[in-house]
Amino acid sequence: MEPRYLVLAIACLATFAAPAKAHEQRTPVSQCQAIAQNLSGATFASFSGAPPLLPAVFEGEDVKFTFLGHSTFEIDTPAGIVIATDYNGWYRPATTPDVVTMNKAHPTHFTLTPDPGIKHVLHGWSDIPGGKAKIDLVVGDAHIRNVTTDIRFSYGLGGSQENGNSIFIFEIAGLCIGHLGHLHYELTDAHYLEIGRLDVVMVPVDGGLTMGADSMSRVIKRLRSSLILPMHRRGPPVEAFLSMFGKDFDVAYAPDDSITVSMRTLPKKPLIYVLKGVR
C-alpha cells in the first residue's frame, strides 16, 4: 500500500473508531490537515482516482462550483448548503447563501452590510488590532476553516498587515477545497502544513494585484491540486498564467460557468479549468 493512502486510511479510521457520547461537543477534525501533519516537508499530491479505502459515503456526493464574478464562487454541497466566497453583495447566488466568506484587500471582496438572512458571515481578518482571524466550524456537511496570510495595504499606501488575508478551506464530501483569497505573498512551509491537502483550489490570476503569474504558479505547483479554478482576472489574459505550466498540467476551457465534481470524478492529472466569465 502506498504511504499516502495508508495515512488517509488511518485518519479516516481514527475519525470513526470512537463514537462520542450524545451529550459531548466534539471539535471538528480536519482530515485534510491531519494527513498533512503526518507528511512533514512533503509536497502534496493529488488524490484523484481515490482508492477503495475511502468510506463509501463519499461515493456519488457531488459538489458544484459556479463562478459568479471576480473572486466570488457559489459552492453547493450535497446536503444543500450554499456558500459564497469573497462575497461583496454584488455577485450573489440565486438563493440567499448559508455562509459567506470575505477578505478586505478591496471593496470587491467584502461588504459590511451583508443580507441579514445570511446565517454565517466569516471575515478573513480580525477587527482587533494585531489580531488574527480564527475560523473552525461545521455548517451542515461543510467543515470550514481558515489559514491567515499577510496582506499589502491597498491604494499605494505602502507597508503590509500581518494576517490580513485568509485562505478559506472547505472540507465537503471528502474533498479538500481551498480559496486563496487576495494572496499577496508566496506561502511558507508553515502555511503549506497548515493548509494540508487541497483537491480543488480557486486561484487569483490577475498577474500583479495579488502576485505575478510566476509566483502564483509556484504556489499552485506546490499544492499539486487535482482541479485548479482561475478567478480574479484583471488586465492580462488568463493565458499569461497558463503559460507558466508545462506538460504536467492539463488545460481546458469550460462551455459554461459551473462544474460539478466528487472524490470519484477528480481529474487523474492536474487540470486548470477556466470557467466561462473568467477569460
Side-chain angles (χ1 to χ4, degrees):
M1 183 183 296
E2 293 187 27
R4 62 176 182 165
Y5 293 159
L6 179 59
V7 172
L8 180 59
I10 292 170
C12 289
L13 287 172
T15 303
F16 299 106
K21 294 179 182 179
H23 66 275
E24 290 179 345
Q25 294 294 321
R26 300 188 66 186
T27 301
V29 176
S30 167
Q31 294 305 310
C32 310
Q33 191 179 28
I35 294 166
Q37 290 171 341
N38 284 281
L39 296 175
S40 179
T43 296
F44 303 108
S46 160
F47 273 70
S48 57
L53 291 168
L54 289 170
V57 70
F58 293 160
E59 188 169 4
E61 291 196 346
D62 293 331
V63 180
K64 183 178 180 181
F65 299 84
T66 302
F67 180 68
L68 300 180
H70 202 52
S71 291
T72 305
F73 283 83
E74 175 182 344
I75 304 173
D76 294 279
T77 79
I81 298 299
V82 178
I83 301 166
T85 64
D86 273 17
Y87 180 81
N88 56 27
W90 306 337
Y91 303 116
R92 303 182 182 214
T95 60
T96 301
D98 301 283
V99 182
V100 298
T101 65
M102 299 181 187
N103 276 300
K104 67 171 185 177
H106 303 286
T108 49
H109 296 261
F110 73 97
T111 175
L112 297 181
T113 57
D115 183 333
I118 300 171
K119 295 178 182 177
H120 302 276
V121 177
L122 307 180
H123 289 178
W125 67 91
S126 172
D127 293 317
I128 301 172
K132 180 177 180 179
K134 179 61 178 176
I135 295 163
D136 193 7
L137 79 159
V138 173
V139 181
D141 58 342
H143 176 194
I144 306 168
R145 59 188 177 90
N146 73 315
V147 175
T148 59
T149 65
D150 296 347
I151 193 171
R152 297 188 305 270
F153 287 128
S154 309
Y155 308 116
L157 297 177
S160 62
Q161 179 184 351
E162 291 185 1
N163 302 309
N165 178 73
S166 278
I167 295 170
F168 282 94
I169 299 163
F170 312 91
E171 303 186 25
I172 305 167
L175 289 169
C176 303
I177 301 160
H179 186 284
L180 298 185
H182 212 275
L183 187 64
H184 284 174
Y185 300 103
E186 290 194 41
L187 301 175
T188 65
D189 287 344
H191 285 132
Y192 285 111
L193 190 59
E194 192 175 357
I195 291 167
R197 186 184 100 242
L198 291 184
D199 302 301
V200 182
V201 63
M202 291 157 272
V203 54
V205 295
D206 54 82
L209 291 174
T210 53
M211 292 195 299
D214 55 343
S215 296
M216 196 66 77
S217 69
R218 282 195 291 270
V219 171
I220 296 305
K221 290 172 183 175
R222 174 75 182 267
L223 287 170
R224 192 69 178 181
S225 303
S226 293
L227 180 63
I228 299 104
L229 301 176
M231 62 175 185
H232 197 270
R233 190 193 70 78
R234 284 273 181 101
V238 71
E239 283 74 19
F241 173 74
L242 301 178
S243 68
M244 299 289 114
F245 297 88
K247 58 183 177 57
D248 291 335
F249 289 77
D250 285 337
V251 175
Y253 292 88
D256 52 33
D257 58 4
S258 66
I259 182 173
T260 299
V261 68
S262 72
M263 282 293 291
R264 305 293 176 176
T265 61
L266 283 172
K268 291 181 170 58
K269 181 179 177 182
L271 170 66
I272 304 173
Y273 197 60
V274 185
L275 293 170
K276 185 178 179 180
V278 175
R279 59 186 186 276

